[in-house]
Amino acid sequence: MRSNVLKFIEKHKLLKEGQTIFVAVSGGPDSMALLHFLWEHRTILKINVKAVHVHHHLRGDEADQDATYIERYCLNYHIPYMKKDVDVRGYAKQRNIGTQLAARELRYQWFEELVDENSRIATGHHGDDQVETMIMMSVRGRNPLKAVGIPAFRKLGHGAIIRPFLGITKQEIEHYCNDVSIVPRRDSSNSSRNYTRNRFREDLLPFLKRENPNVHLHMQRQQEWCSEDQQFLMELAEEILPTLMLSKNEQNVTISQRAFTKINMPLQRRVIHLILNYLYGKNSPSTNFIHIEQVLHMMNREHMNGEHYLPNSFLFRRDYDRCQFLKIEQETLVQTSEELAIPGSIALGDWFIRAHVTEEQDLNEADNQIILDLEQVQLPLTIRQVLPHDRMLCRGMSGSKKIRRLFIDRKVAHNERNDWPLVVDKMENILWVPLLHRSRVANVNRNTLKRLVLTCRRQVVDVED
C-alpha cells in the first residue's frame, strides 16, 4: 500500500517540498490512516503535517468522543491539531438545505480559510469512494459537462484539496490500520440505509468487486481521462464562442444560428453551457444539462422562431439567424429549479416533495400524492415554479389547461402562485401541481410493474402576535 500511495502522489504531483498539509480527520479508518501515513512520511516527502477536525455536533456523545479521540491521538504523536465547531442544524435551517449538504459547505468554508498557496487540504477519499461516486452520479443523471467522479487534485481558494488514497481500496486501508495499531472510531451513520451512498456501498459495490477486484483502478483511470477530455473540449468551445457571437453584455448574449449549427455537436453543447454559466454566474441551475438539450432542439429545428423560458428569469429566443439568451422581468418567471432524485426528496421554501419507487399493486393516491408508471416517466424530474405559458394535460380532461388558469379556478392566493411548485419531466411536461391537479401523462395501468410515488407536504407556519 505504501508504495502505491507514494506513486500516486508522485504521478499526480499532489505535494510540493515545504508545503503544509492539513489532514481532514474524522476519526474513522480512512482519515486516521491518511494522517498516520503522511506524518510517517513527512520527512521523505519534505512536508509539514497538521490535523484538522470539524465538529458538526450532529451525533451527540458519539461525535464528542470522536473529537476527544483525535485530540488524544495527536497529542500522543505530537501532531499539531486544530478543531472547528460548527452549527450544522442552524446553518441548514437558515439556508433551507439538508444537514449533509450543510455540513459539507461548513467544512469547506473552513478549509478555504485555512489554505494558501503553500498549503493543501488532504482528505481520506479512496478508490471505493471513487467507484461509489461515479456510479451514483451516473444513476442520478449527472450533468455530462461537469467533472466526473472525485478529482485527485482540486483548487480551493488560494490552495487546493488533494486525495492521496484514490488509488487504493477500503480493504487496504483497514489492513494498514491493523499494521500500525490504529483503532479508529466507527461512525454509526455509515451503516444507515437512509443514506443513498450507504445503499450503493452495501448492495452494489460488493457485486462490482466480485466481477473485477480492480474496478477502482479502472474507474480512477476513467475519471482522469474523462476530466482531461472535458477540459480540452471546453477550451475549444471557449475559443469558438467569440466567432459565433453577434453581441454580448451582462444580461444578453446573441449568437448566429447558422454559424452555431456548423460546429460539431459536442462543441454546441459546451458553447450553450458557457453562455448559461456567463449569464447565471454563481447561480447556475443544477439541471443545466436539461436546458442545454431544450435549447439545442430549438437551435436545430426547421421552425425558425420560438421562445423557451429558462430558470431564474432568463429566456432563450430564436428569431431566424439571431439566437438570444436574455434576462427578463424577474417577477414573471421561475425563481427555483431543482432535480428530484429517485429515490430522494427536495425542500423548497415551505414545500417538501419526496419520491420513492414501489412494486406494490394495490395503491390508492392520497390527496397529497401522485402515482406514476415509472417506465413511462421521462427522467430526470425537476421541481420548479410556474412559467407564464405553462400548460398541463390534466387528468380527467381533454386538451390542456394553463396553470395560471388552474390557480384562478382553485382560488390560490395571488401571492402564493409564484412559489407553488410544479413537477416536470425531462421534456418539460408538467406531471403534477401538488394539492391541485394531476397530469394524465404516465398514468399507471394493469401492466405497470414499478410505481413512482410522489408525496408532498406543506409546512403551515403559525403566526403569533
Side-chain angles (χ1 to χ4, degrees):
M1 174 194 143
R2 289 173 173 81
S3 62
N4 288 337
V5 175
L6 290 172
K7 288 176 183 177
F8 190 89
I9 290 172
E10 182 179 3
K11 175 184 175 182
H12 295 276
K13 299 180 174 59
L14 299 185
L15 301 174
K16 292 182 180 179
E17 182 179 334
Q19 282 185 327
T20 295
I21 307 303
F22 296 100
V23 183
V25 187
S26 66
D30 309 337
S31 61
M32 292 304 297
L34 179 61
L35 177 62
H36 184 280
F37 180 90
L38 292 178
W39 182 253
E40 184 184 60
H41 292 82
R42 67 190 186 280
T43 304
I44 297 173
L45 296 171
K46 299 178 181 179
I47 57 173
N48 302 306
V49 175
K50 296 182 179 181
V52 295
H53 173 66
V54 180
H55 193 331
H56 299 111
H57 294 277
L58 291 176
R59 294 179 291 112
D61 291 341
E62 186 179 350
D64 293 337
Q65 291 169 16
D66 291 345
T68 301
Y69 166 82
I70 297 166
E71 184 174 6
R72 287 175 178 172
Y73 182 91
C74 291
L75 283 172
N76 288 338
Y77 281 84
H78 306 289
I79 302 172
Y81 169 72
M82 300 168 66
K83 185 184 79 167
K84 176 79 170 182
D85 291 276
V86 294
D87 179 12
V88 174
R89 290 191 177 91
Y91 183 82
K93 184 177 181 180
Q94 178 187 359
R95 299 289 300 273
N96 195 26
I97 58 178
T99 55
Q100 294 296 310
L101 177 58
R104 184 184 187 280
E105 288 188 2
L106 288 171
R107 280 198 307 274
Y108 278 72
Q109 286 175 15
W110 187 44
F111 293 164
E112 190 168 349
E113 293 173 8
L114 287 175
V115 294
D116 56 25
E117 294 177 356
N118 198 40
S119 61
R120 290 175 180 173
I121 297 285
T123 67
H125 293 92
H126 48 76
D128 291 2
D129 291 327
Q130 184 73 282
V131 176
E132 294 165 10
T133 300
M134 293 179 70
I135 297 295
M136 285 172 59
M137 291 172 71
S138 297
V139 170
R140 286 177 168 179
R142 68 174 180 83
N143 186 334
L145 301 185
K146 291 190 175 179
V148 180
I150 306 172
F153 176 96
R154 180 171 75 82
K155 290 183 178 179
L156 179 69
H158 297 294
I161 293 179
I162 59 172
R163 281 99 179 197
F165 278 3
L166 282 180
I168 61 173
T169 64
K170 177 74 170 182
Q171 185 178 28
E172 290 177 283
I173 291 173
E174 294 284 2
H175 286 163
Y176 181 86
C177 287
N178 289 333
D179 289 343
V180 298
S181 300
I182 292 175
V183 183
R185 298 282 298 168
R186 305 285 176 176
D187 185 342
S188 60
S189 65
N190 287 340
S191 60
S192 170
R193 293 184 65 85
N194 292 329
Y195 298 106
T196 304
R197 179 176 288 275
N198 293 350
R199 296 194 296 273
F200 273 79
R201 179 179 300 137
E202 293 176 10
D203 298 342
L204 189 57
L205 191 60
F207 166 76
L208 295 176
K209 284 182 167 292
R210 286 195 301 270
E211 292 294 312
N212 185 352
N214 291 321
V215 63
H216 66 289
L217 299 179
H218 297 304
M219 287 291 194
Q220 181 61 30
R221 187 181 299 111
Q222 181 182 347
Q223 189 277 331
E224 293 170 11
W225 286 27
C226 287
S227 296
E228 290 166 0
D229 292 349
Q230 175 67 273
Q231 182 179 351
F232 174 73
L233 288 171
M234 199 62 75
E235 289 172 357
L236 280 182
E238 290 172 352
E239 293 177 7
I240 289 173
L241 178 55
T243 69
L244 313 176
M245 208 164 313
L246 301 176
S247 65
K248 172 185 174 183
N249 59 50
E250 291 182 356
Q251 296 188 334
N252 188 333
V253 174
T254 303
I255 64 174
S256 164
Q257 187 270 345
R258 284 191 294 269
F260 176 84
T261 53
K262 289 179 181 178
I263 64 177
N264 293 326
M265 182 60 71
L267 295 180
Q268 288 185 12
R269 296 190 186 101
R270 286 163 176 80
V271 162
I272 297 172
H273 173 77
L274 290 171
I275 293 172
L276 294 180
N277 274 6
Y278 168 75
L279 292 173
Y280 282 121
K282 294 182 179 179
N283 300 314
S284 183
S286 59
T287 52
N288 206 347
F289 70 101
I290 297 175
H291 309 299
I292 290 174
E293 288 185 351
Q294 292 161 346
V295 170
L296 275 174
H297 173 71
M298 291 188 66
M299 283 278 206
N300 291 288
R301 69 181 184 179
E302 292 183 5
H303 188 60
M304 298 182 180
N305 296 288
E307 293 181 346
H308 175 73
Y309 289 94
L310 298 166
N312 302 351
S313 309
F314 280 92
L315 173 73
F316 172 75
R317 175 183 294 149
R318 181 179 170 189
D319 185 8
Y320 295 95
D321 184 52
R322 293 176 61 84
C323 293
Q324 292 180 289
F325 300 79
L326 65 154
K327 177 90 171 176
I328 59 178
E329 291 300 319
Q330 188 163 348
E331 62 268 17
T332 65
L333 285 180
V334 63
Q335 302 298 313
T336 306
S337 176
E338 291 190 29
E339 184 178 329
L340 175 61
I342 300 173
S345 61
I346 282 181
L348 292 174
D350 55 359
W351 292 87
F352 178 84
I353 298 178
R354 177 177 176 268
H356 74 276
V357 176
T358 180
E359 296 182 5
E360 186 178 346
Q361 298 295 313
D362 299 326
L363 285 180
N364 293 317
E365 289 174 335
D367 291 340
N368 66 334
Q369 286 183 331
I370 184 171
I371 302 176
L372 302 166
D373 187 331
L374 180 62
E375 292 184 358
Q376 296 184 48
V377 175
Q378 299 191 61
L379 301 176
L381 297 186
T382 302
I383 311 300
R384 65 165 173 79
Q385 294 159 295
V386 66
L387 296 170
H389 303 296
D390 273 340
R391 303 184 74 90
M392 180 181 182
L393 299 171
C394 295
R395 189 183 297 181
M397 299 171 54
S398 60
S400 62
K401 185 169 187 173
K402 289 194 71 170
I403 302 302
R404 295 291 187 185
R405 184 73 246 176
L406 177 64
F407 285 154
I408 294 171
D409 293 347
R410 292 299 189 93
K411 296 181 172 55
V412 175
H414 192 274
N415 62 351
E416 294 182 351
R417 296 175 189 175
N418 287 338
D419 294 326
W420 207 282
L422 309 181
V423 180
V424 301
D425 66 11
K426 178 180 179 179
M427 303 311 294
E428 285 291 311
N429 296 310
I430 297 171
L431 302 182
W432 191 30
V433 184
L435 307 183
L436 298 183
H437 221 306
R438 303 175 179 92
S439 166
R440 60 178 184 265
V441 176
N443 278 349
V444 297
N445 55 59
R446 62 184 181 182
N447 297 319
T448 299
L449 298 177
K450 292 186 177 182
R451 287 162 165 77
L452 171 60
V453 182
L454 305 180
T455 305
C456 90
R457 184 176 73 246
R458 190 177 187 191
Q459 181 182 359
V460 179
V461 180
D462 296 326
V463 179
E464 300 179 355
D465 294 333

